[in-house]
Amino acid sequence: MPYDWPERRDGPVPDTEVTLWAREQLVRRIERAEHISTRVARAMREVPRHVFVPADLLDRAYEDGPLPIGDGQTISQPTVVALMSDALQLQGNERILEIGTGSGYQAAVLSRLCADVQSLEVVEALADRARAALASVGYDNVQVHLRDGFFGMPELAPFDGVIITAAPAEVPVRLLEQLREGGRMVVPVGPVFGVQHLLVLRKHQGQVERTNLGPVRFVPMVGG
Ligand code: SAH
């Protein structure tokens, strides 16, 4: 890093030359390595990831890796956030359901790409922190709900897209039911201590088309 990092403090840390520079380097690296749309790249440039990581890890916010966020959970690797966001192929007017709010970072990126994000989390402390972080950057088209994602949000279904950021052993059928015809679901599926695969499922004429984006490692989806 060419400069010192901003001071740790209680509230959200505003962007500085340093955070802007570090974020730009990160997004350029992702753009070189992966095929992501310009809209997704723009969202990754816009969202201050450092606001969503714990204060003691501030200086690692723009590394391309997962980081611990407390309660045994992690904020996803930026490249994975970019790829999952890209896989939803959002145009801007969609309503999205996210399972696993965690830090709120993935929801924040999605909020720049679609109309509305409903995000479900089972750990209360994480839901509270994510809400605070999202409010601090003014992203008011994300709602965080404390509830078990296996059941989804039938009262607001169908959704244009569903993204699951914890790994279930199998595709949760109830969530597939809450996806509209033509909509996409992005989900890492697989055993807790084995290889999970990042799947993109598209509902098309009553069938489910499946694309495998390759191996990934997520914390398990719990409950159900
Ligand atoms: N999207 C997050 C990463 C989340 S890590 C981010 O950008 O930071 C996975 C999260 O899924 C954890 O916070 C975990 O508590 C949550 N989770 C696990 N099982 C869940 C379930 N059944 N419903 C909702 N959230 C769940």
Side-chain angles (χ1 to χ4, degrees):
M1 299 289 159
Y3 311 102
D4 285 339
W5 273 76
E7 288 290 304
R8 288 167 197 163
R9 30 180 244 183
D10 289 340
V13 176
D15 261 320
T16 62
E17 247 176 274
V18 188
T19 59
L20 289 170
W21 178 86
R23 187 153 75 247
E24 178 61 26
Q25 302 314 307
L26 170 66
V27 178
R28 283 189 193 178
R29 239 177 295 129
I30 296 172
E31 282 180 307
R32 277 197 298 272
E34 311 289 345
H35 288 284
I36 55 166
S37 71
T38 49
R39 284 193 85 225
V40 169
R42 199 187 309 142
M44 298 289 293
R45 282 195 166 83
E46 180 180 342
V47 179
R49 189 170 188 259
H50 67 271
V51 169
F52 296 87
V53 306
D56 60 335
L57 295 174
L58 196 58
D59 58 351
R60 298 182 59 192
Y62 295 105
E63 288 177 7
D64 192 20
L67 291 170
I69 53 173
D71 293 275
Q73 304 302 328
T74 52
I75 177 173
S76 306
Q77 178 187 356
T79 288
V80 173
V81 171
L83 289 173
M84 290 178 81
S85 303
D86 197 70
L88 287 171
Q89 297 193 16
L90 301 171
Q91 309 294 315
N93 52 1
E94 296 87 352
R95 295 171 48 250
I96 300 298
L97 176 66
E98 179 191 37
I99 311 303
T101 312
S103 67
Y105 175 66
Q106 170 74 75
V109 171
L110 292 174
S111 79
R112 308 298 85 194
L113 296 165
C114 69
D116 174 78
V117 182
Q118 303 297 331
S119 185
L120 313 189
E121 174 56 58
V122 279
V123 178
E124 187 164 18
L126 293 177
D128 289 345
R129 257 177 271 153
R131 275 193 203 103
L134 288 160
S136 77
V137 285
Y139 296 173
D140 57 10
N141 60 339
V142 183
Q143 275 82 46
V144 177
H145 307 270
L146 187 65
R147 53 159 123 174
D148 184 346
F150 273 107
F151 300 95
M153 279 198 100
E155 70 273 33
L156 293 183
F159 291 92
D160 301 305
V162 176
I163 178 170
I164 307 183
T165 67
E170 284 161 27
V171 176
V173 180
R174 287 196 197 84
L175 298 181
L176 208 47
E177 282 167 5
Q178 293 176 29
L179 185 65
R180 79 160 168 79
E181 171 70 26
R184 287 184 166 77
M185 175 187 287
V186 184
V187 54
V189 177
V192 178
F193 297 110
V195 179
Q196 305 150 359
H197 287 276
L198 189 57
L199 303 183
V200 182
L201 308 176
R202 182 160 179 263
K203 259 197 190 173
H204 185 59
Q205 294 174 349
Q207 306 273 46
V208 179
E209 295 167 359
R210 180 185 280 243
T211 313
N212 188 337
L213 297 185
V216 284
R217 187 170 289 269
F218 276 81
V219 297
M221 186 167 167
V222 295

